[in-house]
Amino acid sequence: VTTTLGAEGIALRPGEHALVADSPADFAQATLALLADPAQRARLGAAARRLAVDEFDWRSIAPLLERLYARM
């Protein structure tokens, strides 16, 4: 569970990679919903991990950095 601000700059899709809740009550409700639903927790967790690896793993980032350094 994250907030809109917490997800800023990350290409996550609400409901696919994480639950987004901006009020304290909505955040608590989303957290409780995940605690009660192991399948949804697993699905969101796996999707979030795939997103993190695809976007932030060095194997994804290194080619971008190499191209950037080559232009300097």
Side-chain angles (χ1 to χ4, degrees):
V1 181
T2 188
T3 62
T4 300
L5 183 61
E8 192 171 297
I10 301 172
L12 72 79
R13 288 186 290 279
E16 183 178 340
H17 302 108
L19 299 182
V20 178
D22 289 313
S23 74
D26 290 343
F27 198 97
Q29 182 179 13
T31 301
L32 291 173
L34 285 179
L35 287 171
D37 190 343
Q40 185 181 28
R41 271 197 324 268
R43 182 181 58 77
L44 288 173
R49 174 150 174 65
R50 279 192 307 276
L51 176 68
V53 168
D54 290 347
E55 296 289 322
F56 303 111
D57 185 85
W58 278 112
R59 288 170 287 200
S60 301
I61 295 172
L64 301 173
L65 286 174
E66 288 173 347
R67 285 195 295 275
L68 176 67
Y69 293 151
R71 287 186 284 175
M72 296 178 137

